[in-house]
mmCIF file of all heavy atoms in Angstrom:
data_model
loop_
_atom_site.group_PDB
_atom_site.id
_atom_site.type_symbol
_atom_site.label_atom_id
_atom_site.label_comp_id
_atom_site.label_asym_id
_atom_site.label_seq_id
_atom_site.Cartn_x
_atom_site.Cartn_y
_atom_site.Cartn_z
ATOM 1 N N PHE H 468 -12.063 12.157 25.470
ATOM 2 C CA PHE H 468 -12.989 11.579 26.450
ATOM 3 C C PHE H 468 -12.901 12.404 27.728
ATOM 4 O O PHE H 468 -11.884 12.388 28.417
ATOM 5 C CB PHE H 468 -12.648 10.103 26.699
ATOM 6 C CG PHE H 468 -12.783 9.297 25.443
ATOM 7 C CD1 PHE H 468 -11.683 9.085 24.621
ATOM 8 C CD2 PHE H 468 -14.010 8.800 25.042
ATOM 9 C CE1 PHE H 468 -11.806 8.374 23.433
ATOM 10 C CE2 PHE H 468 -14.139 8.090 23.852
ATOM 11 C CZ PHE H 468 -13.043 7.882 23.044
ATOM 12 N N PRO H 469 -13.948 13.175 28.046
ATOM 13 C CA PRO H 469 -13.862 14.121 29.155
ATOM 14 C C PRO H 469 -14.222 13.527 30.509
ATOM 15 O O PRO H 469 -14.979 12.561 30.594
ATOM 16 C CB PRO H 469 -14.897 15.171 28.764
ATOM 17 C CG PRO H 469 -15.934 14.385 28.023
ATOM 18 C CD PRO H 469 -15.220 13.267 27.327
ATOM 19 N N MET H 470 -13.663 14.117 31.544
ATOM 20 C CA MET H 470 -14.160 13.868 32.897
ATOM 21 C C MET H 470 -14.077 15.190 33.650
ATOM 22 O O MET H 470 -13.181 15.994 33.419
ATOM 23 C CB MET H 470 -13.374 12.757 33.598
ATOM 24 C CG MET H 470 -11.893 12.952 33.706
ATOM 25 S SD MET H 470 -11.105 11.572 34.578
ATOM 26 C CE MET H 470 -11.561 11.926 36.260
ATOM 27 N N LEU H 471 -15.058 15.423 34.504
ATOM 28 C CA LEU H 471 -15.132 16.685 35.242
ATOM 29 C C LEU H 471 -14.433 16.494 36.580
ATOM 30 O O LEU H 471 -14.758 15.584 37.334
ATOM 31 C CB LEU H 471 -16.610 17.045 35.437
ATOM 32 C CG LEU H 471 -16.970 18.515 35.626
ATOM 33 C CD1 LEU H 471 -16.350 19.386 34.554
ATOM 34 C CD2 LEU H 471 -18.474 18.695 35.624
ATOM 35 N N ALA H 472 -13.440 17.359 36.859
ATOM 36 C CA ALA H 472 -12.672 17.212 38.098
ATOM 37 C C ALA H 472 -13.377 17.897 39.266
ATOM 38 O O ALA H 472 -14.331 18.655 39.087
ATOM 39 C CB ALA H 472 -11.288 17.807 37.919
ATOM 40 N N ASP H 473 -12.873 17.632 40.449
ATOM 41 C CA ASP H 473 -13.366 18.280 41.661
ATOM 42 C C ASP H 473 -12.960 19.756 41.608
ATOM 43 O O ASP H 473 -11.777 20.072 41.470
ATOM 44 C CB ASP H 473 -12.710 17.598 42.870
ATOM 45 C CG ASP H 473 -13.262 18.100 44.192
ATOM 46 O OD1 ASP H 473 -13.549 19.314 44.277
ATOM 47 O OD2 ASP H 473 -13.384 17.300 45.130
ATOM 48 N N PRO H 474 -13.922 20.702 41.725
ATOM 49 C CA PRO H 474 -13.587 22.126 41.583
ATOM 50 C C PRO H 474 -12.620 22.648 42.651
ATOM 51 O O PRO H 474 -12.053 23.722 42.507
ATOM 52 C CB PRO H 474 -14.942 22.834 41.687
ATOM 53 C CG PRO H 474 -15.878 21.827 42.267
ATOM 54 C CD PRO H 474 -15.354 20.485 41.897
ATOM 55 N N ARG H 475 -12.394 21.876 43.710
ATOM 56 C CA ARG H 475 -11.470 22.357 44.750
ATOM 57 C C ARG H 475 -10.014 22.231 44.322
ATOM 58 O O ARG H 475 -9.116 22.695 44.996
ATOM 59 C CB ARG H 475 -11.701 21.572 46.050
ATOM 60 C CG ARG H 475 -13.023 21.929 46.722
ATOM 61 C CD ARG H 475 -13.391 20.933 47.781
ATOM 62 N NE ARG H 475 -13.519 19.577 47.245
ATOM 63 C CZ ARG H 475 -13.976 18.553 47.955
ATOM 64 N NH1 ARG H 475 -14.324 18.711 49.206
ATOM 65 N NH2 ARG H 475 -14.073 17.359 47.414
ATOM 66 N N HIS H 476 -9.771 21.557 43.176
ATOM 67 C CA HIS H 476 -8.391 21.390 42.716
ATOM 68 C C HIS H 476 -8.161 22.235 41.473
ATOM 69 O O HIS H 476 -8.548 21.846 40.381
ATOM 70 C CB HIS H 476 -8.112 19.922 42.365
ATOM 71 C CG HIS H 476 -8.341 19.007 43.518
ATOM 72 N ND1 HIS H 476 -8.039 19.341 44.807
ATOM 73 C CD2 HIS H 476 -8.836 17.740 43.553
ATOM 74 C CE1 HIS H 476 -8.346 18.329 45.608
ATOM 75 N NE2 HIS H 476 -8.837 17.348 44.866
ATOM 76 N N PRO H 477 -7.538 23.401 41.573
ATOM 77 C CA PRO H 477 -7.355 24.256 40.398
ATOM 78 C C PRO H 477 -6.378 23.647 39.380
ATOM 79 O O PRO H 477 -5.455 22.932 39.746
ATOM 80 C CB PRO H 477 -6.797 25.564 40.986
ATOM 81 C CG PRO H 477 -6.241 25.188 42.309
ATOM 82 C CD PRO H 477 -7.013 24.015 42.799
ATOM 83 N N ALA H 478 -6.613 23.960 38.102
ATOM 84 C CA ALA H 478 -5.807 23.385 37.021
ATOM 85 C C ALA H 478 -4.355 23.849 37.065
ATOM 86 O O ALA H 478 -3.450 23.127 36.686
ATOM 87 C CB ALA H 478 -6.418 23.768 35.683
ATOM 88 N N GLU H 479 -4.136 25.090 37.543
ATOM 89 C CA GLU H 479 -2.781 25.652 37.489
ATOM 90 C C GLU H 479 -1.967 25.356 38.749
ATOM 91 O O GLU H 479 -0.876 25.848 38.927
ATOM 92 C CB GLU H 479 -2.836 27.186 37.297
ATOM 93 C CG GLU H 479 -3.223 27.606 35.884
ATOM 94 C CD GLU H 479 -4.722 27.593 35.665
ATOM 95 O OE1 GLU H 479 -5.472 27.517 36.662
ATOM 96 O OE2 GLU H 479 -5.137 27.639 34.496
ATOM 97 N N SER H 480 -2.535 24.539 39.629
ATOM 98 C CA SER H 480 -1.892 24.325 40.926
ATOM 99 C C SER H 480 -0.501 23.729 40.801
ATOM 100 O O SER H 480 -0.242 22.869 39.971
ATOM 101 C CB SER H 480 -2.773 23.389 41.746
ATOM 102 O OG SER H 480 -2.026 22.780 42.735
ATOM 103 N N THR H 481 0.418 24.191 41.636
ATOM 104 C CA THR H 481 1.767 23.618 41.644
ATOM 105 C C THR H 481 1.894 22.649 42.815
ATOM 106 O O THR H 481 2.852 21.932 42.929
ATOM 107 C CB THR H 481 2.826 24.729 41.839
ATOM 108 O OG1 THR H 481 2.454 25.480 42.994
ATOM 109 C CG2 THR H 481 2.903 25.639 40.646
ATOM 110 N N SER H 482 0.920 22.658 43.680
ATOM 111 C CA SER H 482 1.014 21.829 44.883
ATOM 112 C C SER H 482 0.514 20.406 44.620
ATOM 113 O O SER H 482 0.206 20.028 43.511
ATOM 114 C CB SER H 482 0.190 22.451 46.006
ATOM 115 O OG SER H 482 -1.161 22.435 45.609
ATOM 116 N N ALA H 483 0.417 19.657 45.681
ATOM 117 C CA ALA H 483 0.070 18.240 45.555
ATOM 118 C C ALA H 483 -1.376 17.999 45.127
ATOM 119 O O ALA H 483 -1.726 16.894 44.755
ATOM 120 C CB ALA H 483 0.326 17.538 46.875
ATOM 121 N N THR H 484 -2.220 19.066 45.170
ATOM 122 C CA THR H 484 -3.635 18.836 44.801
ATOM 123 C C THR H 484 -3.737 18.304 43.384
ATOM 124 O O THR H 484 -4.575 17.467 43.080
ATOM 125 C CB THR H 484 -4.465 20.128 44.899
ATOM 126 O OG1 THR H 484 -3.801 21.138 44.162
ATOM 127 C CG2 THR H 484 -4.694 20.548 46.319
ATOM 128 N N ASN H 485 -2.824 18.802 42.522
ATOM 129 C CA ASN H 485 -2.858 18.361 41.130
ATOM 130 C C ASN H 485 -2.598 16.875 41.029
ATOM 131 O O ASN H 485 -3.162 16.193 40.181
ATOM 132 C CB ASN H 485 -1.811 19.129 40.335
ATOM 133 C CG ASN H 485 -2.302 19.376 38.926
ATOM 134 O OD1 ASN H 485 -2.176 18.502 38.089
ATOM 135 N ND2 ASN H 485 -2.877 20.532 38.694
ATOM 136 N N GLU H 486 -1.755 16.402 41.915
ATOM 137 C CA GLU H 486 -1.442 14.970 41.938
ATOM 138 C C GLU H 486 -2.702 14.156 42.265
ATOM 139 O O GLU H 486 -2.919 13.084 41.730
ATOM 140 C CB GLU H 486 -0.343 14.672 42.974
ATOM 141 C CG GLU H 486 1.011 15.267 42.600
ATOM 142 C CD GLU H 486 1.476 14.900 41.194
ATOM 143 O OE1 GLU H 486 1.438 13.707 40.849
ATOM 144 O OE2 GLU H 486 1.851 15.813 40.422
ATOM 145 N N SER H 487 -3.533 14.693 43.159
ATOM 146 C CA SER H 487 -4.730 13.936 43.529
ATOM 147 C C SER H 487 -5.733 13.894 42.377
ATOM 148 O O SER H 487 -6.429 12.906 42.184
ATOM 149 C CB SER H 487 -5.366 14.489 44.799
ATOM 150 O OG SER H 487 -5.747 15.815 44.587
ATOM 151 N N VAL H 488 -5.789 14.990 41.581
ATOM 152 C CA VAL H 488 -6.664 14.980 40.399
ATOM 153 C C VAL H 488 -6.139 13.944 39.405
ATOM 154 O O VAL H 488 -6.903 13.181 38.817
ATOM 155 C CB VAL H 488 -6.724 16.372 39.720
ATOM 156 C CG1 VAL H 488 -7.663 16.332 38.526
ATOM 157 C CG2 VAL H 488 -7.193 17.429 40.690
ATOM 158 N N LEU H 489 -4.812 13.915 39.261
ATOM 159 C CA LEU H 489 -4.187 12.959 38.349
ATOM 160 C C LEU H 489 -4.504 11.528 38.788
ATOM 161 O O LEU H 489 -4.800 10.660 37.964
ATOM 162 C CB LEU H 489 -2.672 13.190 38.325
ATOM 163 C CG LEU H 489 -1.855 12.202 37.483
ATOM 164 C CD1 LEU H 489 -2.322 12.218 36.042
ATOM 165 C CD2 LEU H 489 -0.375 12.535 37.565
ATOM 166 N N LYS H 490 -4.472 11.314 40.094
ATOM 167 C CA LYS H 490 -4.751 9.984 40.637
ATOM 168 C C LYS H 490 -6.172 9.543 40.246
ATOM 169 O O LYS H 490 -6.404 8.417 39.810
ATOM 170 C CB LYS H 490 -4.605 10.031 42.167
ATOM 171 C CG LYS H 490 -4.291 8.691 42.787
ATOM 172 C CD LYS H 490 -3.927 8.854 44.252
ATOM 173 C CE LYS H 490 -4.092 7.499 44.929
ATOM 174 N NZ LYS H 490 -4.298 7.601 46.341
ATOM 175 N N VAL H 491 -7.112 10.487 40.390
ATOM 176 C CA VAL H 491 -8.515 10.194 40.034
ATOM 177 C C VAL H 491 -8.613 9.864 38.534
ATOM 178 O O VAL H 491 -9.284 8.918 38.123
ATOM 179 C CB VAL H 491 -9.437 11.387 40.388
ATOM 180 C CG1 VAL H 491 -10.854 11.162 39.876
ATOM 181 C CG2 VAL H 491 -9.450 11.615 41.888
ATOM 182 N N ALA H 492 -7.899 10.662 37.716
ATOM 183 C CA ALA H 492 -7.928 10.450 36.264
ATOM 184 C C ALA H 492 -7.357 9.075 35.911
ATOM 185 O O ALA H 492 -7.910 8.345 35.078
ATOM 186 C CB ALA H 492 -7.133 11.539 35.560
#
Side-chain angles (χ1 to χ4, degrees):
F468 298 93
M470 57 179 285
L471 205 50
D473 186 323
R475 289 166 301 188
H476 302 323
E479 286 83 14
S480 158
T481 52
S482 64
T484 52
N485 214 277
E486 293 308 311
S487 61
V488 181
L489 176 58
K490 204 170 161 203
V491 173

